Amino acid sequence: MTIAPLYAEVILPLPFSVTFTYLIPSDMADLVKRGMRVIVPFGKKKIYAGVVDGIHNEAPVHYEAKEIMDLPDSKPIFTTQQLDFLKWMANYYMAGIGDALKAALPSGLKISSESMIQLHPAYDLALADGSLPEREVAVLINLAEKGNLNYDEVGAVAHLKNPYPVIKSLLAENAIIVFEKVKDRYSPKKIRKVRLNIGYIQDKAALKTLLDDLEKKPKQQEVILKYLREVPVFQKAELNDIGLEKNRLQTEELSNSSVQTLIKNNVLEEFSIQVSRLDEINLADIPELVLNAAQKIAKEEILQQMEKQDAILLHGITGSGKTAILIELIREVIDSGHQVLYLMPEIALTTQMVGRLKKHFGNDLGVYHSRFSDNERVEVWKGVLEDSLPIIAGVRSSIFLPFNNLGLIIIDEEHEASFKQYDPAPRYHARDMALVLARFHQCKCILSSATPSIETFYNAQEGKYGLVNLRSRFGIFLCPILSYLMFENINWKRRIFSILDYS
């Protein structure tokens, strides 16, 4: 029985409004899923990492489908909602879906290709001696030893800033093959660790003999003693499996050579573990947040508005304590098992603001910003995908993260111009797209500002958005009776604020 070939519609990070059809190799038929990255050839020499948008049995009509070359991931890195959102955005802003993908994918997840040169398998290296210039012979000998060289390495061997003439000449001689080597820019962070050979833990007499033998090598002896001080293996043997960071044994007093000698002699074992690049915070240090009466009223009114409105404008004057209310709402959302996106303009994402959120949410918070490295942003991306980072504080590009369980989107300082992407395409407005994203996830959206944009304020006045006003500054003293009335009765609150109008 002949099995019909499968084809994948692939979005490439190029300025095209269409997807491209690729043949799925039979050995990948059960592995390729929508949202997965795939490495595909494009044109004569280029290689790109695209994202699968769909799978079907129909061969393309106008061209012969090329095969998918590789799968860099074992599971999708884009969610279904995320891809649908990208297509909606591209259509709305009249941009190519490839432009939208390029904007969404962090640099660390993009695949780069670089030209590589290898020795032609049919070429006899003995023919090179005497028939080719010395530089070209040197390149061929290096290729025979190392297997392949990149463009810069060829230049170094040939002692040329521009090695292209040498490469061109060797290609004409059919001595080399030029190919594209795929390299994934993301590399997980690893730390080198060491642990004591298990034999010395199981046999204390052997350890004592070792220490006696090292009396004549005090530096090596001190390394072992320091390890035992740092890792009390005889009190808790399983601590040896965790080991000690190698750099802890590499100080001014303890040389690297001593450590390496102990590793070479199988006294210490060296190994590596993968760790997160994201800062960790002690959850015990998170302070308790207490809202005042006016903030409690505003919070209750927001919750009431959420029952009938998908978007609410929190209009509070500067210093009124809007952030404290938002933090309380975030806490309730994540306690219910949902994710939160806290969207901020570039200028608002300061160390102070992030520090405040970190103090309240600790390791549940991920920060997504261009100031962070490619690898850090990839780890945030994967943290959102795996639901290990339920809260994201970020700038406009945060709307592209692979949320799968969004419960709330907050757009702080929603009037700020930096939410607008001007170049390159798609030239989207992150505030508007956050509202669309909320619809895709069927979650609520809060827009917060002391000076709302005209369109947001108009939508609130017309009833398209809910509207909650916070007009008293945090810390202003109100008598107990007034505070009680404000908290217990929303109608009284409205009357009071109509008199105490600080705006």
Side-chain angles (χ1 to χ4, degrees):
M1 180 180 176
T2 304
I3 300 175
L6 284 176
Y7 297 90
E9 290 301 315
V10 178
I11 306 170
L12 295 178
L14 299 169
F16 294 113
S17 298
V18 296
T19 57
F20 295 87
T21 307
Y22 285 88
L23 177 65
I24 302 175
S26 57
D27 59 338
M28 296 184 188
D30 296 329
L31 302 177
V32 178
K33 301 287 188 296
R34 190 183 188 216
M36 290 187 76
R37 282 191 305 168
V38 289
I39 298 176
V40 294
F42 187 77
K44 293 183 178 180
K45 296 182 179 179
K46 295 294 184 180
I47 293 172
Y48 290 99
V51 175
V52 176
D53 186 42
I55 300 171
H56 56 78
N57 297 107
E58 297 180 12
V61 176
H62 301 293
Y63 57 90
E64 184 178 351
K66 297 179 181 180
E67 278 196 352
I68 292 172
M69 298 172 64
D70 195 14
L71 300 174
D73 308 300
S74 59
K75 59 184 179 180
I77 65 165
F78 278 81
T79 66
T80 296
Q81 290 162 315
Q82 198 180 6
L83 287 174
D84 292 341
F85 173 67
L86 287 181
K87 291 196 285 187
W88 192 99
M89 173 190 285
N91 181 65
Y92 183 78
Y93 287 102
M94 294 184 287
I97 182 60
D99 288 319
L101 176 64
K102 189 174 181 179
L105 203 60
S107 297
L109 287 176
K110 292 173 183 173
I111 299 293
S112 64
S113 63
E114 59 179 326
S115 294
M116 300 293 294
I117 296 95
Q118 72 176 41
L119 191 67
H120 197 296
Y123 186 78
D124 185 0
L125 191 58
L127 299 176
D129 192 17
S131 64
L132 294 178
E134 185 177 342
R135 285 175 173 170
E136 294 179 17
V137 173
V139 170
L140 293 177
I141 291 173
N142 267 268
L143 287 172
E145 293 175 352
K146 298 181 179 179
N148 54 63
L149 299 172
N150 63 30
Y151 190 87
D152 293 332
E153 288 169 340
V154 171
V157 171
H159 302 290
L160 292 172
K161 289 185 178 179
N162 178 17
Y164 180 72
V166 171
I167 295 172
K168 183 179 179 181
S169 175
L170 290 173
L171 281 171
E173 292 287 335
N174 289 321
I176 61 171
I177 296 173
V178 177
F179 67 100
E180 297 290 311
K181 180 182 178 182
V182 175
K183 180 176 67 176
D184 197 331
R185 292 183 184 178
Y186 171 68
S187 57
K189 182 179 179 180
K190 294 183 178 181
I191 58 173
R192 305 296 297 174
K193 304 188 80 173
V194 293
R195 58 190 165 210
L196 192 63
N197 188 304
I198 189 67
Y200 294 110
I201 298 176
Q202 295 172 342
D203 186 355
K204 291 184 180 180
L207 178 61
K208 184 178 184 304
T209 301
L210 171 68
L211 293 172
D212 291 340
D213 292 341
L214 292 178
E215 286 285 349
K216 297 178 181 179
K217 301 174 183 177
K219 290 185 178 181
Q220 293 183 34
Q221 186 187 60
E222 182 56 33
V223 169
I224 299 299
L225 293 174
K226 180 174 176 57
Y227 179 86
L228 294 173
R229 287 195 297 269
E230 297 281 343
V231 187
V233 293
F234 294 111
Q235 297 176 19
K236 202 171 184 181
E238 55 266 32
L239 290 176
N240 192 60
D241 294 332
I242 300 172
L244 185 68
E245 288 185 32
K246 189 178 178 182
N247 59 16
R248 296 274 294 275
L249 296 176
Q250 296 170 336
T251 63
E252 292 181 3
E253 297 80 16
L254 304 176
S255 66
N256 180 52
S257 61
S258 298
V259 178
Q260 289 301 125
T261 301
L262 290 168
I263 293 172
K264 183 179 178 181
N265 294 336
N266 204 28
V267 176
L268 294 176
E269 297 176 355
E270 185 176 11
F271 64 103
S272 63
I273 61 169
Q274 184 175 326
V275 296
S276 172
R277 288 181 170 85
L278 308 179
D279 294 333
E280 295 195 352
I281 279 186
N282 185 353
L283 298 179
D285 295 336
I286 299 175
E288 184 180 356
L289 188 67
V290 179
L291 301 183
N292 65 19
Q295 290 171 320
K296 289 178 181 177
I297 290 170
K299 177 192 168 186
E300 291 301 317
E301 191 164 357
I302 288 171
L303 293 174
Q304 291 177 17
Q305 297 266 6
M306 283 182 173
E307 295 177 3
K308 54 185 178 181
Q309 295 282 10
D310 292 328
I312 296 98
L313 170 61
L314 175 58
H315 183 196
I317 64 170
T318 302
S320 57
K322 298 186 294 296
T323 303
I325 298 170
L326 298 175
I327 287 173
E328 278 289 285
L329 292 169
I330 290 171
R331 194 184 305 280
E332 291 186 9
V333 172
I334 63 170
D335 285 346
S336 69
H338 292 83
Q339 297 169 310
V340 176
L341 170 58
Y342 195 116
L343 199 61
M344 290 180 277
E346 297 276 353
I347 63 170
L349 198 63
T350 60
T351 303
Q352 182 180 3
M353 185 62 192
V354 171
R356 184 174 182 185
L357 292 172
K358 275 281 186 185
K359 284 182 179 178
H360 287 282
F361 300 110
N363 304 325
D364 286 338
L365 178 75
V367 182
Y368 200 72
H369 191 275
S370 59
R371 289 201 304 265
F372 296 100
S373 70
D374 290 341
N375 286 332
E376 285 173 319
R377 279 179 282 170
V378 169
E379 293 197 4
V380 171
W381 181 286
K382 292 187 175 182
V384 174
L385 189 64
E386 296 164 2
D387 213 9
S388 61
L389 289 175
I391 311 163
I392 293 297
V395 293
R396 58 176 181 256
S397 57
S398 304
I399 62 172
F400 297 121
L401 287 167
F403 297 102
N404 51 47
N405 192 22
L406 258 182
L408 177 65
I409 299 176
I410 295 169
I411 311 166
D412 203 5
E413 306 294 342
E414 63 83 26
H415 61 278
E416 279 291 340
S418 64
F419 279 128
K420 174 65 179 173
Q421 164 75 11
Y422 288 99
D423 198 57
R427 294 168 177 84
Y428 64 95
H429 198 297
R431 178 200 61 211
D432 299 341
M433 287 302 97
L435 292 163
V436 174
L437 184 65
R439 290 206 299 271
F440 271 91
H441 287 268
Q442 298 182 335
C443 72
K444 303 299 181 180
C445 196
I446 298 175
L447 302 95
S448 174
S449 177
T451 55
S453 61
I454 293 173
E455 58 267 43
T456 298
F457 194 70
Y458 176 80
N459 285 331
Q461 291 291 330
E462 291 297 305
K464 186 176 180 180
Y465 300 163
L467 176 61
V468 175
N469 289 302
L470 188 61
R471 299 179 179 176
S472 64
R473 287 187 172 84
F474 183 82
I476 291 180
F477 175 79
L478 295 171
C479 68
I481 296 177
L482 186 57
S483 298
Y484 173 80
L485 291 173
M486 289 175 67
F487 178 63
E488 292 296 322
N489 193 309
I490 297 298
N491 291 328
W492 270 102
K493 186 270 304 184
R494 290 196 182 100
R495 293 180 190 176
I496 292 166
F497 279 163
S498 66
I499 299 171
L500 302 176
D501 188 354
Y502 291 96
S503 60

